[in-house]
Amino acid sequence: MTKKATKTVLFAASALALVFALPALGQQGPESLLPEGFGDPTPPPANTRPTPNSTGQTTPSTSVRPTTPGDPLATAATDNPDAADAEEEDEEEEEEEELVIKYDVPPAARRSLSAVGVISDASGGFPSESFGALDGTFLKQVVNRTTGPIASRWGTIMGRRLLISRTSTPKGVNGADWTAERAWLLLRMGDSVSARHLIQEVDAGNYTKRMHEVALQVYLANADLSGMCPLVENAVRLVNDGRWKMARAICASLAGEQGSATAFINQGRYQGWVRGVDYRLTEKAVGAGINGRRSVKIEWEGVEGMNPWRFGLASATGLEPPDRLFAKSGRQMAGWRVQLPMFQAAIRAKYAPQAAALGIYSNREMVDLYGQVIDDTEAPDPVKSRAEGLRSAYTASGDAAKVAAMASLWTGATAGADYHGALVMTARAAALIRPDEAHAGAADQLIASMLTAGLDRNAAAWSNIVDEGTLGWALLALGSPTNVVSVDSGALGDFYSGDDSEKAHKSALLLAGLAGLGRVDSGAQSDFGRDLEINVTRQTPWSRAITSAAERGEQGTVALMALAGMQAPNWALVPANHLYYIVRSLKQVGLEAEARMIAAEAVAFG
């Protein structure tokens, strides 16, 4: 074996070991995919992502958002399609071998599995060779072990762009299976619409068992019952899942074949494919088909929890389950709910702040949504009040009135996600405010708001207004396109003296971000680290893996490893050394703009 081959084998072995060593933090759960303000992307050089927009604003690279409205999150962990019955695997494999799938498209129109994605590099996606020569088995395991939640809005935005990019299928994995894993992670992150676009890039004739498992979750998350129908017969033969079997009844009803629908649903009742409210929802969906004559009343009392089947069928039939059922379902469903087009704007607006905090909803989408609420005379008072406050933030007479309207929105958001969403909602309104000492009291939040939408140059204009050591100063030290504020031991000490976070975690994140970006001298870094009793450069198996990927120039691998390193319910639980290696590695592979936004976000919400 050659020296090079030996290195490859050793790396693959260490990579697999790393996957199982990844920390499971926080386990429980054409418009741009990036927040508004990032402009239209231009074709980037080979390994460079930051690009200037038409106003000269340096921004993280963008991607073209699928045109279908909405982008929710992934299915609940309790409904993981990986959970197939082990005893039936042999029988299912035999069925899969015997199954011959016929193409219904001419050979020239069939799509290759060698590279699957929605957007290309030239359209703002990641380069096709973003994973280098890395083995696909390792990459699949990294994706599978990234169960979330992801603490970073900006991390989610970057991850979504990577997962829908037309990248080459890594060696050692089936292209359909790799696409399924990417779509499944998109769902867990809350982006159901992009997940649907992604799986639709694979011809039905190439669907594997895994693709059918994930496709069911994807179509349910989109409340797209008809989308299941072209797959249902092959899915029933490949996947031993009662929900796919019940889907035959729904699809028969949608096709006007009520006799078949009745036969299937009766068989499902007798054999217990789904039970309780799940069965009654199936009856209701069948009744909604052509010539359906079933009238079913759904009682939610006694129902505990929400799963994808209940979510998809309830949404498709116009039902809004009680909020209590979503309490333990994971944050991803906020993304699913906000982007379902069958619901009125006033209903979707209830979940918009959470979706924005997740990285699923942009500033422009929020403004458009609340604009619809303004015209809805039947909208609930709290939602209507927020819409009116947002209108004032953009249109009030004079900067003082605009700032006052924004401050009202910020203080009215109690929960962390709601507050984060409120900052996203006001981002462009904040950019309209001229830097002035009269607004110094609101400068921290104005800067934080602008950076949620990547308006880094607008935020940097406030560098002469914020005092050294304040939150606004820290955000500009990290988020500005150039190092416009001085960072020395004295300034770090000033920030630390006002840091009320537990164990001064914000100060630790600030140091980690500055060190990763190379914006603090080594003396100040070591002195401040000693004061905080932390070592932001502490190595772990995960840090060595992301560092190696950065040295090889693998943007996609670095982005995946960054997501894995940000798994936590919030930034308060993300270790400072994780942020250091994420920021440093992203910068090294040409994703500096994303690195800056992630670092600033960490300090703002740490």
Side-chain angles (χ1 to χ4, degrees):
M1 183 180 290
T2 66
K3 184 176 181 181
K4 182 176 180 181
T6 302
K7 282 186 175 180
T8 302
V9 171
L10 289 175
F11 175 77
S14 62
L16 287 173
L18 157 72
V19 171
F20 294 101
L22 283 175
L25 293 174
Q27 302 273 339
Q28 52 167 99
E31 176 172 312
S32 174
L33 280 173
L34 299 176
E36 251 330 283
F38 279 71
D40 294 327
T42 56
N47 282 314
T48 303
R49 293 263 66 77
T51 56
N53 64 16
S54 59
T55 62
Q57 185 114 324
T58 301
T59 62
S61 54
T62 64
S63 61
V64 178
R65 184 188 188 95
T67 56
T68 304
D71 286 28
L73 285 200
T75 54
T78 54
D79 292 283
N80 192 326
D82 281 330
D85 295 333
E87 312 89 78
E88 296 166 341
E89 285 183 357
D90 292 340
E91 178 183 346
E92 291 166 2
E93 288 175 5
E94 290 176 6
E95 291 176 1
E96 185 172 0
E97 290 174 0
E98 295 172 0
L99 180 62
V100 177
I101 300 175
K102 296 182 179 180
Y103 280 94
D104 59 357
V105 292
R110 298 175 191 173
R111 291 170 290 188
S112 171
L113 293 176
S114 62
V116 180
V118 179
I119 57 173
S120 66
D121 185 11
S123 299
F126 276 66
S128 60
E129 301 304 322
S130 287
F131 300 108
L134 206 55
D135 184 73
T137 304
F138 166 68
L139 291 170
K140 278 182 64 177
Q141 292 192 55
V142 174
V143 169
N144 286 335
R145 289 182 63 83
T146 306
T147 57
I150 307 300
S152 172
R153 163 183 161 83
W154 276 106
T156 296
I157 291 166
M158 176 182 66
R160 291 168 61 206
R161 185 164 61 85
L162 168 67
L163 293 170
I164 67 168
S165 294
R166 193 174 300 118
T167 51
S168 297
T169 299
K171 63 181 180 181
V173 294
N174 177 278
D177 287 342
W178 173 238
T179 302
E181 299 305 339
R182 292 156 60 193
W184 182 230
L185 181 52
L186 281 167
L187 280 182
R188 297 197 299 274
M189 294 165 67
D191 194 350
S192 61
V193 168
S194 289
R196 180 174 59 181
H197 278 269
L198 185 61
I199 65 171
Q200 289 174 340
E201 289 294 306
V202 176
D203 292 335
N206 288 331
Y207 266 47
T208 61
K209 175 183 175 182
R210 182 59 173 162
M211 271 294 288
H212 281 98
E213 290 172 338
V214 173
L216 178 64
Q217 315 296 320
V218 170
Y219 285 115
L220 289 172
N222 284 279
D224 182 3
L225 304 187
S226 63
M228 305 185 299
C229 297
L231 307 173
V232 66
E233 292 304 325
N234 286 333
V236 167
R237 285 182 281 178
L238 283 176
V239 185
N240 186 34
D241 190 319
R243 294 168 300 177
W244 266 121
K245 294 174 183 178
M246 291 300 278
R248 287 187 300 181
I250 296 171
C251 292
S253 178
L254 291 175
E257 300 171 0
Q258 289 303 323
S260 296
T262 299
F264 284 134
I265 201 166
N266 288 340
Q267 184 181 8
R269 183 176 71 249
Y270 295 140
Q271 298 193 12
W273 290 336
V274 295
R275 296 183 174 89
V277 72
D278 294 339
Y279 175 79
R280 294 193 296 275
L281 284 167
T282 307
E283 281 193 303
K284 190 170 185 66
V286 168
I290 299 174
N291 298 321
R293 293 181 175 86
R294 295 172 183 265
S295 178
V296 182
K297 182 178 181 181
I298 303 299
E299 298 286 353
W300 297 106
E301 186 176 352
V303 178
E304 295 185 5
M306 181 57 57
N307 60 36
W309 187 258
R310 294 169 190 171
F311 179 90
L313 269 59
S315 300
T317 54
L319 300 178
E320 187 182 5
D323 285 342
R324 66 174 179 80
L325 297 181
F326 293 89
K328 298 180 181 180
S329 299
R331 300 186 303 180
Q332 68 270 21
M333 284 193 178
W336 297 356
R337 298 169 88 183
V338 77
Q339 295 175 329
L340 289 175
M342 65 278 294
F343 288 127
Q344 294 179 336
I347 294 176
R348 290 183 285 124
K350 293 193 299 183
Y351 317 113
Q354 298 175 57
L358 284 169
I360 304 302
Y361 232 40
S362 71
N363 166 264
R364 173 169 290 180
E365 286 171 317
M366 294 190 79
V367 172
D368 288 346
L369 182 62
Y370 280 102
Q372 297 174 48
V373 172
I374 287 286
D375 298 327
D376 185 355
T377 57
E378 299 180 358
D381 289 341
V383 177
K384 190 80 171 228
S385 176
R386 173 171 282 197
E388 291 170 347
L390 181 60
R391 179 170 61 183
S392 296
Y394 282 89
T395 64
S397 178
D399 285 357
K402 290 184 174 73
V403 171
M406 283 185 270
S408 178
L409 290 169
W410 299 330
T411 56
T414 53
D418 286 341
Y419 174 67
H420 198 165
L423 290 175
V424 175
M425 185 165 54
T426 58
R428 289 195 168 277
L432 296 174
I433 306 302
R434 292 181 297 276
D436 193 305
E437 290 287 351
H439 309 307
D444 290 354
Q445 290 170 304
L446 289 169
I447 291 169
S449 181
M450 285 183 271
L451 291 181
T452 64
L455 300 170
D456 51 0
R457 293 194 182 278
N458 296 82
W462 288 76
S463 59
N464 293 327
I465 305 298
V466 294
D467 293 330
E468 185 176 271
T470 62
L471 176 61
W473 167 87
L475 298 182
L476 293 182
L478 294 165
S480 295
T482 56
N483 196 7
V484 297
V485 295
S486 60
V487 182
D488 53 29
S489 295
L492 291 171
D494 289 340
F495 183 83
Y496 174 67
S497 65
D499 185 359
D500 59 357
S501 62
E502 187 174 354
K503 296 182 180 180
H505 190 57
K506 282 193 175 188
S507 297
L509 293 173
L510 172 60
L511 178 62
L514 291 171
L517 290 169
R519 293 188 175 186
V520 62
D521 63 68
S522 58
Q525 178 179 331
S526 59
D527 291 345
F528 196 51
R530 197 161 42 247
D531 292 341
L532 296 175
E533 298 181 347
I534 63 165
N535 177 14
V536 297
T537 62
R538 180 174 62 86
Q539 286 275 18
T540 64
W542 168 84
S543 71
R544 285 189 282 272
I546 193 172
T547 298
S548 296
E551 290 172 350
R552 297 190 301 271
E554 296 170 1
Q555 284 190 348
T557 310
V558 168
L560 272 186
M561 297 303 298
L563 283 179
M566 291 186 285
Q567 290 184 87
N570 52 62
W571 275 109
L573 298 176
V574 177
N577 65 313
H578 280 211
L579 181 64
Y580 167 74
Y581 286 107
I582 288 167
V583 169
R584 190 182 74 161
S585 299
L586 289 174
K587 179 182 177 183
Q588 188 172 344
V589 295
L591 297 170
E592 180 177 348
E594 285 86 347
R596 289 189 287 107
M597 295 301 104
I598 288 173
E601 177 193 68
V603 174
F605 301 99

